[in-house]
Amino acid sequence: MIRLHAVPGSRSFRVHWMLAELGIEPEIETYRIGDGSLGTEDFRAVNPAGRVPALEIDGMTLIESGAIVEYLCETRGAALWRAPGDAERADWLQWLHYAETVAVLVQNLNLQQVFLPDPSMRSPTVIGMEVRRLATVLKPLEARLGRQDYMLAGGFSGVDVMYGFAIEAAFHYVHRDRFPALQAYAARLADRPAYQAALSAQGPDTIYEKDFYEVPDG
Ligand SMILES: N[C@@H](CCC(=O)N[C@@H](CS)C(=O)NCC(=O)O)C(=O)O
């Protein structure tokens, strides 16, 4: 049994999509951020950190999306991995983990723009800073994807699976027109049958109510 604990539209999509690339359909337990479902005793017994993804697999529970993608590549997806000794190994590790540099900034903006209970609690200063920082960390990706179709020159890999969530989420805060190569990349990823299968299995995004969140005045 492989069971994925997930929030539609969150980092759990990485794991869902990775499993779909491997032809694996997990059992899914669905939660929502902010409705208390991640704080129940039952879920804290699965992941005491109260976060998704959590993946029950091979008699253990893994709770970090990048580690899960690496583990799945290592154990079940050699073609999507770059093993130690591979010429693309360092790039594989670097760009896989760089996805969290992007995701953390998106997460900070989600907190400010989506999850604060009262809009008066928002800090336009912090939001403005985080949007600028997000645009900056996207620049190396834009340059890379301007030269090649996927994050690694050798082709589609587990690294790209890490960006399926982060790029689309980032476009809620930075204008996609500023990043044409990333926009084309996101469309290329979304075209993959496994991406679409995971998307339809996870159900609609439960995080964003708007396509784009402007920096508030202040
Ligand atoms: N670095 C962790 C981050 C996990 C994480 O923060 N997940 C978010 C969803 S994208 C979450 O569960 N948030 C719950 C909350 O904010 O209460 C990973 O990549 O798995």
Side-chain angles (χ1 to χ4, degrees):
M1 179 275 301
I2 296 180
R3 182 181 293 134
L4 174 63
H5 300 263
V7 169
S10 80
R11 287 175 178 88
S12 54
F13 182 69
R14 294 167 167 165
V15 177
H16 207 150
W17 177 20
M18 184 70 218
L19 290 166
E21 290 286 347
L22 300 172
I24 297 168
E25 274 183 43
E27 285 179 25
I28 305 283
E29 296 287 339
T30 302
Y31 305 82
R32 277 185 85 129
I33 295 175
D35 73 352
S37 54
L38 293 173
T40 63
E41 263 183 44
D42 280 355
F43 183 64
R44 292 300 166 103
V46 174
N47 182 4
R51 290 175 174 266
V52 294
L55 185 71
E56 297 178 62
I57 188 169
D58 298 343
M60 57 192 172
T61 304
L62 299 175
I63 60 165
E64 184 66 37
S65 63
I68 296 170
V69 167
E70 286 200 52
Y71 180 76
L72 290 171
C73 288
E74 265 183 61
T75 57
R76 291 158 171 88
L80 301 181
W81 191 34
R82 299 295 185 272
D86 190 293
E88 289 193 313
R89 173 68 176 171
D91 272 349
W92 195 82
L93 287 170
Q94 170 165 274
W95 296 110
L96 187 145
H97 291 285
Y98 190 84
E100 272 304 272
T101 298
V102 178
V104 164
L105 291 166
V106 170
Q107 181 170 312
N108 294 345
L109 286 162
N110 288 349
L111 188 64
Q112 288 277 336
Q113 295 277 47
V114 180
F115 293 121
L116 282 179
D118 181 340
S120 70
M121 296 168 154
R122 287 183 190 139
S123 164
T125 308
V126 171
I127 294 173
M129 285 176 68
E130 293 292 72
V131 167
R132 284 192 295 280
R133 283 148 53 102
L134 180 57
T136 302
V137 304
L138 291 178
K139 281 183 185 164
L141 301 178
E142 176 71 13
R144 206 166 172 80
L145 274 316
R147 297 191 296 269
Q148 59 201 42
D149 281 355
Y150 296 105
M151 288 298 296
L152 301 186
F156 180 78
S157 73
V159 174
D160 300 296
V161 171
M162 291 295 286
Y163 288 93
F165 146 82
I167 302 295
E168 275 305 330
F171 286 156
H172 286 96
Y173 300 115
V174 297
H175 287 284
R176 57 177 75 223
D177 296 352
R178 288 177 61 191
F179 297 95
L182 276 182
Q183 214 180 315
Y185 172 64
R188 205 173 298 129
L189 298 183
D191 257 358
R192 293 184 69 85
Y195 181 109
Q196 289 168 18
L199 196 62
S200 97
Q202 77 154 13
D205 162 30
T206 53
I207 295 182
Y208 300 105
E209 287 176 357
K210 297 196 232 174
D211 286 341
F212 193 80
Y213 294 80
E214 297 286 354
V215 178
D217 292 335

